[in-house]
Amino acid sequence: MNHIRLREFLEESPFAAYVETCWNSDHYEEFPIATGLTGCDPGGVNSQLVFYHVYTEKLKLRSAIPGRAARLALWLAGLVREDGLCRTNDGVTDHPAYASTMGDALGTALFHAELIGLNGENRKTVMDALTRLAERHPRLRFPEGAQGKTQQLRFELRVYYWMAQLSDDPVWKERFEILLANGLRNYVTPAAIDGPLLQPSLNPDWTWNYVCTGGITDQHSTNTHTPAYYCTEPNGFMFVYLHALRNSFSERRKELDDFCRNYIAGLLRNLSRGGHLASDLDGYGIHRAWYGPVLVEGLPLESAMVAAELGETALAGYCRWYIDRYIEFVKSRPTYAESGLPEAQPFGQKINIEAQFSQLATARFYASIARALAEFGEVEEIPTIEPPFFGSYAWEAQWLRISTPAYETSFAGHTCLRNIPVVPRYGDPNLGTLIGGAPLATLFGKKELFYAASFPAASLWHVEVDDHNGRRFVSCSTSPEDHTAMTVRSSTGEMLTASDFDPYDPPCNFFLGNADCLEAVWERRERQYKIDFHVHNRYYADRIELEFGMRHMAGHYCDKVTFVVPIPLVNAEFSEDGNTFLPLEQLTALPAVIRWGEQEKCLIRDLRISGGDSDRLEVKALALPQTPGNPGGVNAFSPHPTLQLRFEVTPGVMTQMHRLRCTLVFGETRSSSSPES
C-alpha cells in the first residue's frame, strides 16, 4: 500500500475551503453559514480549529490564513468566565475535557504567540484566561486536577504542562510533576481517592480510569469502557512527553518510557486495518467505533513518534501504517469531496446517542495531523510497516482480538458487564452489551464489513437447546454467574488462561507467522441441567476454522438442538456444488458453500454438522425483522438486514454430542468445498 505524504494530504484536502464556509467573521459555526444552522459547542470545535490554524501557519501551508489563529484564540479566551467555567451557546459547562481542550488550544497559541502574531495586550488576555482555567475551574484546579483520576493524563496534564511552560509562577512545574506521578500510578495500580476506587486504564484494554462508585448501572458514565478513549489518551501524555523532550523542558524518564511502550503495544488491538477503531466487545464501544468523529480520534500520530523515540522500530512502523489507512478511509468516504470530512455516521448507522456531537468535530483529524507535522516533523518519514498476523489476549475480559492482512475479528468469552450503557443523558434503549461466547461476533475483511452482531441473541452465532420440559438454553454467556472457562493456545506452544496473568501486567500480544494459528477454546456449563456448551476456533492468517456445539445426557431429555448462523443479506448466496449459486433465501439443505459481501466475498465452506446416525436435520432460513436494535434497523450494530440460518437437529435417543464445523475464507469469488490442508 502507498505511503501517504501527510503534508500533501493537508494541502490537497477540501477541508480548508469547507471550513471557511463555517466562519461567521468571529468564530466557526458547526455548519456552513449558508444553512442558517448554529452550533451549540463553540469551545469544542473552535479549540480544534485553533490547533489547525496555529500549525498551518507554522507549516506555511497554502491554506494558512495569517492572523486567524491569534484572533480565534482571543475569542476563545472570552469564553472562560472569572470562575474558570466555560461558556457555551447553551449556557455553561464544567466538563473537564471541554475545559482542558480549550486550555490546550490557548496554551498552544501562547507557545507560538510570536509566530501567529499574538502580541501585547492580546497575549496577556489569552494568558489570563488559561490561568483562570487552571486555577479556578472546579475540576482542573489544584489539588483536584492533580489527583490523577478520571482522564487526567489525557486532559488536565496538557493544561498543567502549558502553565509550567508559560507561567512565571514556578509552582506550576511542581504541580505538573505531581499530576504526572499520580496519573501514572493510578493507571497501573488500583487506588482509592476520597473513597471511590479508581479502575486502572491498563487493565488491560480500555480507558478504565474513571471513578467507580457503587451506583446502579444507569448512573454510571457511559465512557468507562469505550476503546475510543484508549486511542485518544496519547494525545495527552505522549504529546506532552515528547514536546517536553524536544523543547528541553525535561529529560527521558524510564517510568514514562516503559509506560508509553506498554501503552502503544496495547493500542494495536483497538485500531482497525479498515481505517477506523476496532471495538467489537461491548455495545457502546462498537457504536463509537463506527461513528465518524470518533473514527479519527484514534489516529496514532503521537504513538508513532514516541515509539520511534524509544527505538521501537516495529511499533513505530505499525502506527505509521495505521495513520495511512485512516487517511485512506477518510478520503474514501462519499462526503470527502465536498468537505474533507467523513459522514457523521458511516456504515449506514442511525445512532441517536451520537447526536450530541457536531458535524465539525472531525476538525481534530486535520488539527492532529498538522500538529504532529509541525511539532514532530519526523513522523512524515517513519517507514510504514503493515502489522503482521497478530492476536491480543485480554485475560480480564476473556477477549481475544485477531488481526491479519485478510480479516479482523474477536472472540469474547463473557459479556462485558462493566456497565450497561443506557443512561438518562446519553443512552439509547437499543444500545446494549454484546453477549459473550458467540463463535463469531464481528468480521471485517480488509476494508469491508462482512458481519457485525447486534444485541439480540437472534443475530448472534450460537446454539439453542430445547429440552423436554419446554425450556430453551442459549449457548452464549449473559451473566457473571455463568460457569465459563477460556484458554488461548498458540501454535508456538503457549497455552494461557486468566490465571497466568497479574491483571495489571502489560498487554499480551502474539505475533505469528502465516502458517501459525491461535486457538480460542471456551466452555460454559449449565450445571443444574447437565448441559455443556463449547466453542473451539482456530484463527489462521487467511482463514478461520470454527467449531461450536454442546453435550447433553442421552435419552429424550433434549428435544432439539439448533445451530444459529446469521448471514448479512449483502449479495448472500449458497451453492450445493461450489459452482452454481442461488439466493440464500432458497436454502433448504446443508450447502457446500455460502458467500456474501460487496467488493470481495466471505465464504463459508466445509460446513458439516456431527451428531448421531439417527439424528434428523432440518434447515430453515428466517429473515430477521428490521426493527430497532436488530440488524438493518435503527441503532443496530450491523447496517445490513440479516438472514438467520437455522440448522435444527432432532437428536436420536443415544446421541449426546452435537457440533457444527465450518471454515471461513476471504477474498474469493469461487471456492471448492474441499478442505484446506
Side-chain angles (χ1 to χ4, degrees), residues 467-502:
D467 76 1
H468 199 60
N469 296 312
R471 290 179 292 243
R472 171 167 288 182
F473 302 92
V474 179
S475 61
C476 297
S477 177
T478 60
S479 168
E481 295 180 355
D482 289 339
H483 299 281
T484 64
M486 180 176 172
T487 302
V488 173
R489 299 173 182 169
S490 168
S491 54
T492 59
E494 295 174 279
M495 186 169 71
L496 301 172
T497 67
S499 61
D500 293 306
F501 299 95
D502 183 301

Side-chain angles (χ1 to χ4, degrees), residues 28-72:
Y28 289 93
E29 298 289 352
E30 295 179 4
F31 305 93
I33 299 302
T35 66
L37 300 171
T38 57
C40 61
D41 182 19
V45 170
N46 284 279
S47 293
Q48 300 296 334
L49 289 166
V50 168
F51 298 137
Y52 178 73
H53 285 297
V54 167
Y55 290 117
T56 55
E57 281 198 65
K58 186 172 182 179
L59 292 168
K60 297 182 171 58
L61 299 184
R62 293 193 303 268
S63 59
I65 304 174
R68 178 64 60 82
R71 181 174 178 181
L72 195 57

Side-chain angles (χ1 to χ4, degrees), residues 594-612:
I594 299 171
R595 70 182 185 186
W596 74 97
E598 294 177 323
Q599 303 170 19
E600 300 187 26
K601 297 291 183 184
C602 177
L603 275 72
I604 300 178
R605 68 183 192 194
D606 311 330
L607 182 64
R608 53 205 184 276
I609 295 174
S610 60

Side-chain angles (χ1 to χ4, degrees), residues 115-397:
L115 170 74
I116 64 174
L118 183 64
N119 301 314
E121 193 63 29
N122 288 345
R123 187 186 188 285
K124 181 179 184 303
T125 298
V126 174
M127 187 65 206
D128 288 346
L130 176 61
T131 303
R132 288 198 301 276
L133 277 175
E135 291 186 342
R136 302 177 188 175
H137 191 281
R139 297 173 70 178
L140 267 63
R141 66 192 177 195
F142 191 85
E144 291 92 338
Q147 287 183 329
K149 62 183 180 180
T150 69
Q151 293 186 22
Q152 285 158 309
L153 283 193
R154 176 187 176 198
F155 293 130
E156 282 92 320
L157 186 68
R158 294 176 293 171
V159 175
Y160 280 50
Y161 174 67
W162 290 126
M163 288 299 294
Q165 281 272 23
L166 302 166
S167 174
D168 293 331
D169 189 344
V171 74
W172 282 102
K173 170 76 174 191
E174 179 183 357
R175 291 176 176 179
F176 168 73
E177 294 292 343
I178 290 171
L179 168 54
L180 187 58
N182 286 341
L184 288 175
R185 182 175 65 251
N186 293 338
Y187 255 77
V188 296
T189 56
I193 295 178
D194 299 332
L197 178 70
L198 300 182
Q199 292 189 8
S201 283
L202 293 185
N203 179 14
D205 301 291
W206 309 280
T207 299
W208 291 112
N209 57 337
Y210 268 81
V211 177
C212 301
T213 60
I216 60 176
T217 56
D218 65 359
Q219 294 175 336
H220 288 175
S221 167
T222 60
N223 294 339
T224 55
H225 56 274
T226 306
Y229 288 87
Y230 191 90
C231 293
T232 57
E233 295 277 319
N235 299 345
F237 65 82
M238 286 192 197
F239 169 78
V240 165
Y241 186 34
L242 197 54
H243 193 275
L245 292 177
R246 296 295 169 84
N247 291 278
S248 302
F249 183 77
S250 63
E251 298 179 347
R252 286 275 296 271
R253 300 166 62 159
K254 184 180 184 305
E255 71 274 17
L256 261 171
D257 286 359
D258 293 342
F259 179 70
C260 290
R261 188 177 286 111
N262 290 341
Y263 202 103
I264 297 169
L267 187 68
L268 297 179
R269 74 183 56 141
N270 288 317
L271 301 174
S272 168
R273 296 173 193 260
H276 49 86
L277 299 183
S279 168
D280 46 11
L281 179 59
D282 63 84
Y284 186 57
I286 196 170
H287 282 281
R288 295 284 302 218
W290 289 0
Y291 172 59
V294 176
L295 299 182
V296 297
E297 281 188 329
L299 200 67
L301 290 152
E302 290 81 5
S303 303
M305 273 310 306
V306 171
E309 185 81 11
L310 299 177
E312 298 289 346
T313 304
L315 284 178
Y318 298 158
C319 290
R320 186 62 177 86
W321 187 88
Y322 279 117
I323 291 167
D324 290 352
R325 303 294 75 76
Y326 274 56
I327 291 174
E328 284 183 348
F329 177 83
V330 171
K331 291 177 70 174
S332 71
R333 305 314 300 162
T335 53
Y336 175 78
E338 178 184 0
S339 64
L341 303 172
E343 66 271 46
Q345 295 183 19
F347 301 106
Q349 295 290 356
K350 299 181 181 67
I351 306 168
N352 299 338
I353 192 173
E354 303 302 359
Q356 60 180 305
F357 296 105
S358 71
Q359 179 177 345
L360 263 186
T362 39
R364 76 188 70 187
F365 181 68
Y366 291 93
S368 296
I369 296 172
R371 174 179 245 187
L373 279 176
E375 299 284 10
F376 320 122
E378 305 94 318
V379 70
E380 182 79 278
E381 305 304 328
I382 294 176
T384 61
I385 304 174
E386 180 174 8
F389 168 27
F390 73 88
S392 295
Y393 176 38
W395 54 93
E396 178 75 7

Side-chain angles (χ1 to χ4, degrees), residues 376-434:
F376 320 122
E378 305 94 318
V379 70
E380 182 79 278
E381 305 304 328
I382 294 176
T384 61
I385 304 174
E386 180 174 8
F389 168 27
F390 73 88
S392 295
Y393 176 38
W395 54 93
E396 178 75 7
Q398 291 192 7
W399 182 35
L400 180 65
R401 170 83 184 155
I402 305 293
S403 178
T404 87
Y407 70 91
E408 292 180 294
T409 190
S410 291
F411 179 81
H414 61 66
T415 300
C416 179
L417 288 172
R418 302 295 183 179
N419 61 39
I420 301 218
V422 179
V423 295
R425 184 175 179 185
Y426 299 117
D428 187 293
N430 298 306
L431 288 177
T433 309
L434 282 182

Side-chain angles (χ1 to χ4, degrees), residues 466-472 529 556-559:
D466 295 295
D467 76 1
H468 199 60
N469 296 312
R471 290 179 292 243
R472 171 167 288 182
Y529 300 103
H556 288 298
Y557 173 70
C558 181
D559 284 354

